[in-house]
Amino acid sequence: MIAPELTEEVLALTKRRSYIELGARDRALALLDPGTFRELLGPFDRVESPWLPMQGIVPQSDDGCVVAKGKVDGQPAVVIALEGKFQGGSIGEVCGMKIATALALAREDNERGKPTRAVLSIESGGVRLQEANLGELVLAEIYAEMVALRKHTPIIALIAGMTGCFGGMSLAAGLASYVVMTPEARLSMNGPEVIEQEAGVDEIDSRDKPFIWSYCGGRQRYGTRLADVLVEDDAEVIAASVRDLFRRGLPAEVRSSQHELFLDRLGALDPNKQWTANELRDVWKDVSHD
Amino acid sequence: MEKLSFEYPASAKASRKAHVGVVGSGDLEILLEPSDDAKAHVTVLTSVTGFQSTWKAVLDRFFERYQGAARIDIHDFGATPGTVTMRLQQVVEGNK
Amino acid sequence: MTEREASTGRRWFEALSGTNGERSGTPGSLLIADATLGDERVTYIAVAPDPDARFMRARHAELGLEEGWFGAKYLTDLIKADRNGIKRPIITVVDSKSQAYGRREELAGIYLAAAALIAAFAEARLEGHPVIALIVGRAVSGSFLELCGQANEIIAFNSPDVIVHAMYKEAAARITRRSVAELDKLGEKIVPLAYDIGSFAKLGALYKLLDVANPSEPADATVQQVKTVLLEAIASARSGPRDLSRRLQSEGAQNLRQASLIVREKMAQQWAES
Amino acid sequence: MSLATTPEIAPRSWANRREGKRRKLAQIEPWMNGKILPGRYIIEALERLLAPGDKVVIESAQKAADFLSRSLAKANPKILHDLHIIIAAISRPDHLAIFEQGIARRVDFSFAGPQSLRVAQMVEDGQMEIGSFHTYVELSARMFVDLIPNAVLVCAQMADREGNLYTGANTEETPAIIEAAAFRDGLVIVQVNQLVDTLPRVDIPAGWVDVIVEADRPFAMEPIQTRDPGEIKELQVLTAMMVIRGIYERHQVISLNHGVGFDTAAVELLLPTYGTQLGLRGKICRNWVLNPQPTLIPAIESGWVESVHSFGNEAGMEQYIAARPDIFFTGRDGSLRSNRVFCQLAGLYAMDLFIGSTLQMDGDANSSTVTRGRIAGFGGAPNLGSDASGRRHSTPAWLSLITSDSPTVRGRKLVVQVVQTFKAGGVPTFVESLDAVEVGKAANLPIAPVMIYGDEISHLVTEEGIAYLYKAEGIEERRAAVSAVAGVTSVGLKATAKRTAELRCKGLVAFPEDLGVRPSEATRSLLSARSMKDLVTWSGGLYQPPARFRSW
């Protein structure tokens, strides 16, 4: 039988290595320059959640957060990757503190003249309800460190996989210097189930997947310039986009400081109607401060 | 949640640390470290209770073939015996 | 404008600032006022119910799109204005339900509005403004993160009506598939899960847990009492670090955040070695 | 010769059924416009057209005549009661409501997947009385013998003003059901999604149809065969590798039927990668009897597949099928032509191999999807998973199962079961005794509802290895071979190292290393598509997954 010609898209698909399929550790490996990965507080350090076993829940030896030092594009870097498969990437005391501490140490490097940059690979449903208030406290500490570090070096938030980026970590993405997303990724504060519960099914039908991705999926966030880069699920392409963003240096103004733009954007919306994702894109297209 | 312990005789010290898996639905995490005594020490922390004999059967079979002296920690989140065996094979790969 | 909806937060804001916090050009839910406290010129901020709020899902003291962006802009302008002078203390009077839950909010990126407000408080703190959170009622999820999280010092009333948490009890029970009774039971054993402010205080992040007579109705004496504590907190903030490290140095953290401390210590050590 | 007749005795009427049908139709005549009945009369019309004791077919497999079943459930039980329902799949709450209301009592059916718990309860409560379990094609067959319907409630996509029907991609068993009624004076009542002037093609002529009613919404369709590649586990990649090496390659399997499940979806997705690496393209897996499962797209696109005949459609595949008429059976309008009865026939007589999965298997390799507290029934698996001893043509695969040198020996179809030794939650697949035995007793069934009998199974695949059961000489050897691959289940723990070594030596049991399969290669990266989105890419954007499968 003659091998049929496959389209370029299919050929590309068969060649590429999926980033979404990778676990947190392999993601960090994929983002760092080859041979530079060095994990901090890895599994064998066994710093686990003290709170989960008290509730009969099996902990993970890295608490779902991989912190690795290394280099990106030849420059010192720290990659922080969350594991969406462990407790939904939720932020508990240990994993949250790992993030905050890694950011703080990167800041100290920068203050001492070593330009350590940071990447956050996020898969998270938000705060870990089994550690509730400690989750809130470590989130606040993560935010504090992000605001301090991003003055020195860009922080890239990378949202790739099926867990998405919700709750407390969506705010972290909001504080990042740059945001990279795949079309499969979602970035939203409140999960659709929670909104459906709080505001009713007419507000959001959490089972309507195309609708959910239409408002918070990577395509829409990129289309409304809430994400800087939209990439296909390809580990090499994603790593390259991270390198490219670092080459851009610090953004002229981080997104969370663009008050005028977003106040204008809010002003342009009719609050009395439920907008579709496309309507929002159209309305916002005309609101520009460039 | 249940904690189980097992011990098996071993003939050679495992050569290095290894880690596989994730504590996600139907999966497990295994940490393997070389042990100085001639034994394999296995501890299992599992989310599903009442499967001691199944764990023993899986591990008995595995340690018929694997002879490394090691400390093996398992964090299980409802993996099937097939998955447990697969992860055990992965963690000892190149670590005889 | 319809009559202002009463709330503990609004009452305390008015009692402390001496104004109703309305400003032209900012949403009615966002109360902001400059006032004098001791010898200081301070700024009070609160988010209160507003039945006329532009976005209907943010009418019951929720942190919504406008609260976030207008608040962030105001604070950023304030920081600029004080750049070369005395850094004004910023005091949030917190009794806000949560973030706003709605379709419009998610479409328009409420996560970014929240981040903007958090960044503005964090910038203020880094610039040397004492940022004080005074929790007089609810500080749940988004309202805690946005109005309290970045403060140098957090003060909370010791009152059953004060609640700091990641999620209200009923919703948390639903999501974790536990009953409310089970949650209460767990909270007795596991401090970070508990809903009472006394348990939260044990985690070491509070500057002060304050006993106030009749905490939902400010009176002259209690207002004076609170003002005194606010002044102490401002002094403490001025003399302390500009980051949040004190929360981890507290006695509570030494007891209940040992895992946090281990992470910090071990990671710093490994970072230095690598 | 003349026959004497007595004038006192009225002549026997030989057309009672026809007469009855005429009388019934006359009762709804005032509402009718030709063959079209306005939807608002449907409940009353059913009350007039059906009578207590009638055998009534409700169409329900992948597609369901749900407007008619919902309407029947609203009928007055004082007028309409004790119907005998014949239904392939009890799948909808309204199917159960018909029994709860007392409108029907007895049921003959094949499958009750999502409603299997409730069915078991209703049988226990005496609200429902089961005639028999059937396979799909068996139930269709009985409609022509001893379950001849008085009326059939079926669905079609479109009808024209004359009453011709277009069943479109989801023809399934509509022609068979209608045939059983139309030619023996049963009533043919059809719900259609749409009335049109001109049909894309005529699938059922107007002359076979009595009443057409426009439904309030398109007939219910479940994408029940769609499997998201994202959910395939590494162990399923491993078993799929073993299937390809140890069965398809070894036996030169050219024509085949895949049951629905992640185990077989993994095989489909490994053909373009692992299969091609082994140089097997064009040599195996060319002619398929299979619904248009999206996981077959990569194999089709990379030139593995010559033909596919289908039982029914799969939602979202319409445009892809229309663009691949060389592969699929399609009408001139481009849409799929499926036919469950023909497809089952093809599965019985024209296939080298059937491969499927099960929920339970005993030590003798008997398998069943019936488990305690559930009456699930079976779809087509018992037919497809059986060897048709009436087969007379031969193929290399069929011949390869011959184990004796008798001059009159015949070949055999490969019937493969692929399972993991344990299911999620630590529930063993291999058990001492099938739940089906107990369930059968409890429901007073004359025989236990076994899906596939052990002696029909030629190959058993688990994550441990393959048991080549067709080689087993006698029941003891079969049991030993099953145990050898049954892992640490109670059945598997009976295996001894010595016996297993003997069986490996004899070729009755093979472990991955015996097959040249390396477990370390069994990763998800070997799948030609790892997500629904990858399938869309493979299809060139022609496959449009149903909403529930879209996450981008």
Side-chain angles (χ1 to χ4, degrees):
Chain A
M1 212 179 267
I2 299 162
E5 270 186 43
L6 298 176
T7 61
E8 271 179 42
E9 288 80 10
V10 171
L11 284 172
L13 176 95
T14 56
K15 283 183 193 127
R16 78 180 183 221
R17 192 162 67 110
S18 165
Y19 183 82
I20 295 175
E21 294 265 321
L22 300 177
R25 194 157 286 106
D26 287 330
R27 288 183 179 193
L29 268 164
L31 295 175
L32 288 166
D33 295 350
T36 68
F37 172 98
R38 188 182 177 312
E39 185 167 356
L40 306 180
L41 289 197
F44 292 98
D45 289 309
R46 291 184 166 83
V47 185
E48 299 166 2
S49 164
W51 308 103
L52 291 178
M54 293 168 76
Q55 296 168 61
I57 298 168
V58 178
Q60 182 162 296
S61 60
D62 59 16
D63 204 39
C65 175
V66 172
V67 174
K69 264 181 96 176
K71 289 191 168 164
V72 170
D73 208 11
Q75 294 295 313
V78 61
V79 174
I80 301 160
L82 295 178
E83 176 54 68
K85 286 185 180 156
F86 173 65
Q87 294 294 327
S90 60
I91 303 299
E93 181 187 6
V94 169
C95 80
M97 206 58 208
K98 282 169 89 170
I99 302 171
T101 307
L103 294 166
L105 292 164
R107 171 179 50 81
E108 287 170 16
D109 272 4
N110 278 275
E111 285 166 358
R112 285 193 298 260
K114 185 180 179 189
T116 301
R117 42 189 47 183
V119 187
L120 265 171
S121 176
I122 305 176
E123 295 278 344
S124 178
V127 74
R128 188 179 296 162
L129 287 177
Q130 292 86 353
E131 306 188 20
N133 281 337
L134 280 178
E136 297 287 299
L137 288 177
V138 290
L139 279 169
E141 286 153 24
I142 291 169
Y143 304 152
E145 290 300 343
M146 288 185 80
V147 173
L149 176 61
R150 69 182 188 178
K151 294 173 189 295
H152 300 280
T153 181
I155 304 173
I156 297 175
L158 164 55
I159 311 165
M162 307 314 297
T163 309
C165 177
F166 291 94
M169 285 313 285
S170 72
L171 276 55
L175 290 169
S177 316
Y178 298 109
V179 175
V180 180
M181 291 180 80
T182 65
E184 288 87 346
R186 289 167 296 165
L187 169 55
S188 209
M189 186 167 185
N190 300 298
E193 292 84 4
V194 179
I195 299 177
E196 184 179 317
Q197 195 68 51
E198 295 286 332
V201 71
D202 291 340
E203 187 80 6
I204 279 182
D205 178 355
S206 64
R207 285 167 310 171
D208 186 347
K209 291 174 92 175
F211 166 68
I212 287 154
W213 264 265
S214 81
Y215 74 78
C216 66
R219 253 180 242 293
Q220 173 73 2
R221 293 311 194 196
Y222 177 71
T224 49
R225 294 197 287 168
L226 291 172
D228 299 273
V229 184
L230 180 71
V231 278
E232 282 304 317
D233 171 28
D234 180 324
E236 273 64 48
V237 173
I238 287 174
S241 72
V242 166
R243 288 194 295 272
D244 288 348
L245 285 171
F246 279 129
R247 284 180 196 177
R248 281 195 211 172
L250 292 174
E253 192 174 37
V254 289
R255 209 171 258 108
S256 60
S257 297
Q258 297 172 11
H259 311 120
E260 304 284 351
L261 170 65
F262 281 93
L263 284 170
D264 284 356
R265 281 179 159 201
L266 288 187
L269 295 171
D270 174 0
N272 296 314
K273 61 179 282 200
Q274 291 284 19
W275 329 300
T276 66
N278 280 332
E279 284 164 356
L280 187 85
R281 278 199 210 200
D282 287 345
V283 172
W284 279 13
K285 213 176 281 167
D286 301 328
V287 185
S288 172
H289 282 219
D290 295 344
Chain B
M1 196 171 72
E2 193 168 42
K3 190 168 184 173
L4 309 168
S5 299
F6 304 91
E7 214 176 82
Y8 295 90
S11 56
K13 189 171 165 178
S15 52
R16 58 181 164 79
K17 288 182 185 179
H19 172 258
V20 295
V22 58
V23 189
S25 176
D27 211 336
L28 71 163
E29 163 185 63
I30 307 180
L31 291 87
L32 179 146
E33 289 172 285
S35 168
D36 286 327
D37 57 3
K39 279 179 186 154
H41 310 268
V42 184
T43 57
V44 178
L45 198 57
T46 173
S47 59
V48 200
T49 53
F51 281 87
Q52 168 134 26
S53 59
T54 307
W55 278 103
K56 183 173 184 312
V58 170
L59 294 167
D60 284 354
R61 284 195 170 184
F62 179 77
F63 284 100
E64 275 170 24
R65 294 204 206 179
Y66 180 70
Q67 299 293 325
R71 184 181 150 201
I72 294 174
D73 277 347
I74 294 177
H75 291 166
D76 169 58
F77 214 66
T80 61
T83 304
V84 174
T85 304
M86 177 186 72
R87 292 272 178 249
L88 282 167
Q89 281 163 355
Q90 287 169 347
V91 83
V92 301
E93 213 160 49
N95 199 346
K96 297 285 167 182
Chain C
M1 183 166 184
T2 48
E3 199 177 320
R4 287 189 302 277
E5 204 175 313
S7 70
T8 304
R10 188 188 294 281
R11 281 190 286 272
W12 275 101
F13 179 93
E14 292 178 353
L16 289 166
S17 72
T19 80
N20 65 17
E22 281 176 30
R23 297 175 68 259
S24 68
T26 51
S29 54
L30 184 64
L31 316 184
I32 301 176
D34 278 347
T36 306
L37 177 66
D39 298 333
E40 298 260 10
R41 189 169 149 240
V42 304
T43 297
Y44 288 101
I45 297 184
V47 172
D50 174 16
D52 294 329
R54 246 185 110 219
F55 291 98
M56 57 177 287
R57 302 285 319 160
R59 288 179 180 166
H60 306 96
E62 291 97 349
L63 275 291
L65 293 162
E66 294 205 322
E67 292 73 17
W69 283 115
F70 277 104
K73 180 169 164 23
Y74 183 86
L75 286 169
T76 306
D77 291 345
L78 180 151
I79 296 166
K80 262 184 221 152
D82 287 359
R83 179 144 295 157
N84 299 313
I86 297 168
K87 312 285 185 182
R88 233 179 301 177
I90 300 160
I91 300 165
T92 60
V93 181
V94 187
D95 173 25
S96 302
K97 194 177 158 209
S98 61
Q99 69 273 30
Y101 294 94
R103 187 206 290 196
R104 297 172 186 87
E105 280 71 17
E106 297 306 326
L107 264 155
I110 186 177
Y111 71 91
L112 189 58
L117 185 55
I118 288 167
F121 278 117
E123 290 288 358
R125 172 172 44 73
L126 289 169
E127 284 293 313
H129 292 267
V131 178
I132 314 295
L134 175 68
I135 306 176
V136 303
R138 301 155 299 171
V140 174
S141 189
S143 76
F144 175 81
L145 291 175
E146 293 177 54
L147 297 175
C148 313
Q150 297 307 313
N152 300 76
E153 312 293 359
I154 307 173
I155 302 159
F157 284 1
N158 190 10
S159 150
D161 295 333
V162 166
I163 163 175
V164 175
H165 216 275
M167 191 177 266
Y168 284 98
K169 225 184 254 183
E170 290 71 21
R174 215 164 28 232
I175 290 178
T176 55
R177 298 199 187 105
R178 289 164 168 157
S179 68
V180 168
E182 282 173 313
L183 271 191
D184 283 335
K185 188 121 196 147
L186 270 176
E188 287 169 18
K189 200 173 65 169
I190 298 162
V191 179
L193 286 185
Y195 279 80
D196 63 294
I197 190 65
S199 294
F200 181 75
K202 289 183 191 158
L203 301 176
L206 286 188
Y207 169 74
K208 195 158 226 168
L209 185 60
L210 192 58
D211 285 302
V212 176
N214 200 2
S216 61
E217 290 292 341
D220 287 349
T222 51
V223 170
Q224 269 319 309
Q225 178 197 1
V226 169
K227 283 186 173 174
T228 307
V229 175
L230 285 173
L231 282 168
E232 286 165 19
I234 289 166
S236 168
R238 283 227 167 89
S239 66
R242 290 185 182 182
D243 59 24
L244 301 181
S245 55
R246 273 202 193 161
R247 292 185 192 171
L248 269 172
Q249 289 153 5
S250 64
E251 201 189 318
Q254 302 293 329
N255 287 330
L256 285 164
R257 290 189 65 183
Q258 281 173 21
S260 295
L261 294 166
I262 289 169
V263 168
R264 268 184 43 141
E265 187 198 320
K266 277 200 168 186
M267 191 182 286
Q269 195 185 330
Q270 294 181 3
W271 184 283
E273 286 163 6
S274 65
Chain D
M1 192 173 75
S2 70
L3 287 171
T5 51
T6 346
E8 289 82 16
I9 298 170
R12 170 175 176 176
S13 164
W14 292 93
N16 287 319
R17 291 177 71 96
R18 188 163 298 167
E19 188 49 34
K21 174 171 173 173
R22 198 193 54 73
R23 273 200 310 271
K24 283 179 174 172
L25 283 171
Q27 287 187 46
I28 62 162
E29 184 57 37
W31 299 330
M32 299 291 285
N33 174 12
K35 295 196 167 173
I36 315 293
L37 174 77
R40 63 181 181 279
Y41 296 118
I42 185 63
I43 298 170
E44 281 172 274
L46 288 172
E47 287 168 354
R48 294 183 188 192
L49 292 171
L50 308 179
D54 274 2
K55 293 187 181 70
V56 179
V57 176
I58 298 175
E59 179 164 30
S60 167
Q62 269 176 279
K63 66 170 176 176
D66 64 309
F67 176 62
L68 295 175
S69 61
R70 280 184 280 126
S71 302
L72 181 58
K74 289 180 205 148
N76 183 346
K78 288 194 181 119
I79 302 171
L80 219 50
H81 49 87
D82 292 301
L83 296 179
H84 178 172
I85 300 293
I86 298 150
I87 184 166
I90 304 174
S91 59
R92 302 176 48 79
D94 43 87
H95 294 153
L96 300 176
I98 292 167
F99 292 86
E100 280 162 351
Q101 305 293 322
I103 295 164
R105 174 168 301 276
R106 194 173 170 81
V107 65
D108 276 280
F109 75 110
S110 296
F111 183 66
Q115 305 294 349
S116 55
L117 263 174
R118 292 280 295 119
V119 167
Q121 267 165 20
M122 289 174 71
V123 170
E124 207 179 298
D125 298 347
Q127 285 179 312
M128 186 187 268
E129 196 179 287
I130 293 179
S132 284
F133 285 100
H134 303 77
T135 67
Y136 281 145
V137 71
E138 188 181 9
L139 191 65
S140 299
R142 285 189 73 190
M143 290 179 202
F144 294 90
V145 184
D146 59 345
L147 291 178
I148 300 170
N150 301 89
V152 298
L153 311 181
V154 297
C155 53
Q157 208 164 323
M158 300 175 192
D160 65 15
R161 311 280 159 194
E162 285 172 50
N164 296 299
L165 302 181
Y166 171 65
T167 48
N170 263 87
T171 297
E172 299 191 58
E173 51 247 293
T174 315
I177 297 172
I178 290 184
E179 180 126 0
F183 296 94
R184 206 149 179 278
D185 295 312
L187 286 157
V188 176
I189 303 165
V190 189
Q191 71 169 72
V192 298
N193 297 349
Q194 216 184 340
L195 285 167
V196 296
D197 292 325
T198 317
L199 294 175
R201 69 175 193 234
V202 174
D203 290 314
I204 309 281
W208 302 7
V209 177
D210 300 305
V211 177
I212 292 169
V213 58
E214 207 170 0
D216 53 354
R217 55 174 193 244
F219 58 72
M221 261 289 295
E222 285 294 308
I224 52 175
Q225 320 255 333
T226 300
R227 292 293 178 272
D228 181 346
E231 293 178 37
I232 293 173
K233 306 277 186 280
E234 282 162 285
L235 281 181
Q236 288 165 325
V237 175
L238 176 64
T239 47
M241 290 166 81
M242 288 196 264
V243 165
I244 291 171
R245 279 236 90 157
I247 300 176
Y248 292 3
E249 181 183 18
R250 183 176 290 191
H251 294 284
Q252 301 170 63
V253 172
I254 304 235
S255 58
L256 69 166
N257 164 244
H258 272 192
V260 182
F262 289 106
D263 302 289
T264 45
V267 176
E268 289 151 26
L269 292 170
L270 283 195
L271 291 176
T273 52
Y274 187 63
T276 301
Q277 284 162 27
L278 295 173
L280 297 174
R281 191 181 54 207
K283 295 187 183 140
I284 60 166
C285 301
R286 298 206 300 252
N287 307 106
W288 295 70
V289 155
L290 189 73
N291 272 14
Q293 282 168 206
T295 39
L296 197 60
I297 292 172
I300 294 172
E301 292 303 301
S302 33
W304 277 75
V305 177
E306 269 175 17
S307 68
V308 178
H309 186 255
S310 302
F311 308 90
N313 185 31
E314 192 62 14
M317 287 289 283
E318 294 78 6
Q319 286 189 32
Y320 180 73
I321 291 163
R324 300 287 181 275
D326 281 353
I327 306 294
F328 294 99
F329 283 72
T330 50
R332 286 186 189 176
D333 61 316
S335 72
L336 182 76
R337 171 65 178 193
S338 60
N339 188 311
R340 176 157 286 115
V341 176
F342 290 154
C343 205
Q344 292 279 349
L345 208 54
L348 256 179
Y349 286 102
M351 290 293 105
D352 285 341
L353 167 143
F354 160 83
I355 181 169
S357 198
T358 185
L359 292 179
Q360 278 192 339
M361 182 175 276
D362 69 14
D364 294 353
N366 297 307
S367 64
S368 183
T369 50
V370 173
T371 51
R372 225 166 287 265
R374 289 176 183 273
I375 298 187
F378 320 110
N383 287 119
L384 298 161
S386 69
D387 181 34
S389 58
R391 171 171 169 167
R392 290 295 176 270
H393 75 288
S394 62
T395 59
W398 189 73
L399 294 171
S400 74
L401 259 56
I402 292 174
T403 51
S404 92
D405 46 13
S406 154
T408 55
V409 73
R410 63 174 180 232
R412 191 174 158 185
K413 182 162 103 185
L414 284 82
V415 175
V416 183
Q417 287 281 47
V418 50
V419 296
Q420 310 293 331
T421 55
F422 284 81
K423 298 185 290 285
V427 182
T429 304
F430 291 91
V431 293
E432 297 294 327
S433 170
L434 298 177
D435 284 1
V437 175
E438 274 303 308
V439 170
K441 276 186 200 152
N444 288 322
L445 299 177
I447 53 168
V450 171
M451 181 171 72
I452 300 181
Y453 291 93
D455 58 2
E456 302 253 34
I457 294 177
S458 63
H459 299 73
L460 167 62
V461 186
T462 74
E463 75 275 14
E464 301 272 331
I466 301 180
Y468 294 85
L469 300 179
Y470 72 95
K471 290 186 181 174
E473 287 169 21
I475 185 75
E476 187 283 326
E477 202 166 67
R478 182 167 7 125
R479 283 179 186 152
V482 170
S483 291
V485 297
V488 297
T489 60
S490 62
V491 172
L493 289 173
K494 290 179 189 160
T496 63
K498 183 165 167 280
R499 187 81 176 102
T500 300
E502 281 167 22
L503 293 170
R504 276 173 87 182
C505 220
K506 267 180 94 174
L508 254 92
V509 168
F511 290 155
E513 58 264 39
D514 305 331
L515 303 168
V517 170
R518 290 177 45 192
S520 60
E521 282 176 20
T523 62
R524 282 181 41 82
S525 57
L526 205 54
L527 297 170
S528 55
R530 292 176 293 257
S531 64
M532 294 304 281
K533 201 173 157 204
D534 286 356
L535 292 174
V536 175
T537 304
W538 271 100
S539 77
L542 292 167
Y543 171 49
Q544 296 176 318
R548 76 168 87 152
F549 291 106
R550 279 205 42 202
S551 30
W552 61 88

